[in-house]
Amino acid sequence: MAKSARLSGFPERLPAQRVIERSIIDTLEHTFALHGFSSIHHRAVEPLSQLAKDGEIDKEIFALSRLHSEGAERNPLGLHFDLTVPLARYVADNASELAFPFKATRIQPVWRGERPQQGRYREFIQADIDVIADTDLPGHFEVEIPLAVADAFSRLEPLGVPGIRIVVNDRRLLEGFARGIGLDNVQAVLRCLDKYDKVGPAEVARLLGVEAGANEEQQDLCLRLAAIESDSPEFAAEVRALGVEHPLLEEGLESLTTMLTAANDRAPGVIVAQLKIARGLDYYTGAVYETQLIGHEELGSVASGGRYDSLATVGRKNYPGVGMSIGVSRLMAHILDPATGITATRGTPSVVVIAVADEDRRADADAVATALRARDIACEVSPSAAKFGKQIRYAERREIPFVWFTDGEGGHEIKDIRSGEQTPADPATWEPADADRRPRVYRA
């Protein structure tokens, strides 16, 4: 097949890059398991009617059709654009088999038809954690989710991921504030405030007037609310000083102050209340989260989410949930920047190449490989019985540190091609150093 043009927005990793990506995924899976999240895997497709029913995302959905289908599909399908909508369907389908509250994690690809740019792709990997409850979701889960994500990011720092700041808000606070100042088009207010960082306060004020019908006093109050930012629960006093009252506002303030109090005890300075955060999807009903890499805010949010009370339903019964999604592919966009110096020791899992003296004796090399693999040592047999110098160069090209000879002067011998040292070795007992046993991620 001839070399094809690259498809923009669909990254394919080289082996050493995949080592880095896999290290991130392994770290996330381990951390989420420590926090009690069960691993599940969603199908890639959902009915279009389900994918497009919440939020303004229908333009991003990749629709599917069979090449030889006859006429219109009765139930058209699309690739899922996140892992929250599929989880809601999964819970509804399997509610009788699940123990609630159900704690789920998924790390798998999603697809969006947006314009590719730095850190944004059309196919990318997300790592999600969610808690789904049967009828009632206790508020403490809105605290546990961002703290689990903060723990995960702290464990990613050796892999080149910088420190993070999780900015939080509460939809109830925003809705209560909007209604408290006499604005009933809450969704319009949320959309305007969510553009604060992109367009600035003056443009947000104008949009509030045009889209939400806000007068100058209401615009000013919204901008003063949006400017409040704090990692202390004392921020609530600043909100109350604006003189706005509404039951939903108080509910949201109570939730956020509880979150910041807990965060100050377990992850000081990581979680910050930022009252301009609204999140774009319509299904969020409580806490909302966005995450920034400190010093690399231009990448946008690398982890986000929130609480949703009505996304998963069976008949009249709701299964409320709260969750966050980490953009693994967006993190990779940062880590693979040459300026980070992050690389892998090698792209191949093999630590040893077993040399073949001649093709008639390939079975001797295969026997060594079998003995090593039985002890979980990754290895491979040389593809040809070429001169030993050529077999060593094969190992060098694949960055494999050792070459094994079955008929050295003392019998079995192994050569470290980095140092040139060659020593006797026994297939039943030889062990590589821990640093060589498998590919590692390090900062050059």
Side-chain angles (χ1 to χ4, degrees), residues 94-380:
N94 298 284
S96 62
E97 305 295 327
L98 300 175
F100 293 96
F102 178 51
K103 302 178 73 174
T105 180
R106 297 85 69 215
I107 303 179
Q108 60 185 100
V110 299
W111 296 265
R112 293 183 188 174
E114 61 183 0
R115 182 175 65 85
Q117 52 186 297
Q118 172 68 9
R120 291 182 179 271
Y121 307 99
R122 290 176 172 175
E123 178 183 18
F124 52 98
I125 297 174
Q126 285 190 179
D128 279 36
I129 55 170
D130 291 80
V131 180
I132 306 290
D134 181 357
T135 307
D136 294 316
L137 179 71
H140 64 81
F141 285 119
E142 295 181 58
V143 181
E144 289 186 27
I145 288 288
L147 289 175
V149 168
D151 185 15
F153 272 92
S154 72
R155 296 167 187 264
L156 289 173
E157 289 182 12
L159 300 178
V161 177
I164 61 163
R165 183 176 67 160
I166 301 176
V167 293
V168 301
N169 200 358
D170 196 291
R171 284 284 186 90
R172 291 161 294 194
L173 185 157
L174 292 175
E175 180 176 351
F177 191 88
R179 296 192 184 281
I181 61 175
L183 296 176
D184 294 326
N185 191 345
V186 175
Q187 290 303 319
V189 174
L190 295 180
R191 284 196 303 270
C192 295
L193 291 180
D194 208 41
K195 298 175 182 177
Y196 191 99
D197 285 337
K198 292 182 179 179
V199 301
E203 178 63 11
V204 168
R206 188 190 71 80
L207 290 173
L208 284 167
V210 173
E211 298 183 15
N215 59 36
E216 289 187 6
E217 181 182 359
Q218 292 166 327
Q219 293 170 25
D220 179 65
L221 284 169
C222 286
L223 292 180
R224 290 168 65 188
L225 179 75
I228 294 174
E229 181 175 320
S230 175
D231 62 358
S232 166
E234 296 176 2
F235 82 95
E238 295 182 60
V239 177
R240 293 190 175 99
L242 298 178
V244 180
E245 296 183 357
H246 193 277
L248 275 178
L249 172 61
E250 286 301 316
E251 188 177 339
L253 279 175
E254 182 179 351
S255 176
L256 270 188
T257 53
T258 298
M259 186 184 303
L260 291 183
T261 300
N264 279 337
D265 291 336
R266 294 167 57 183
V270 174
I271 297 179
V272 177
Q274 196 176 86
L275 303 192
K276 60 191 174 185
I277 298 298
R279 299 289 300 144
L281 294 173
D282 291 343
Y283 52 66
Y284 292 124
T285 56
V288 288
Y289 321 100
E290 291 189 354
T291 305
Q292 302 163 346
L293 293 180
I294 295 174
H296 302 275
E297 289 79 6
E298 73 281 356
L299 278 177
S301 181
V302 295
S304 59
R307 176 172 179 143
Y308 43 91
D309 285 306
S310 302
L311 194 59
T313 60
V314 178
R316 295 182 178 179
K317 187 173 185 178
N318 283 342
Y319 291 89
V322 60
M324 286 187 74
S325 173
I326 297 174
V328 174
S329 297
R330 189 169 294 187
L331 290 178
M332 284 291 292
H334 164 73
I335 292 173
L336 294 181
D337 186 326
T340 67
I342 300 299
T343 188
T345 52
R346 61 184 189 267
T348 175
S350 299
V351 66
V352 181
V353 171
I354 298 93
V356 178
D358 60 64
E359 288 299 336
D360 291 340
R361 297 181 58 190
R362 180 171 288 275
D364 295 342
D366 289 337
V368 173
T370 298
L372 295 177
R373 290 168 186 152
R375 295 187 294 107
D376 291 333
I377 299 173
C379 60
E380 57 190 83

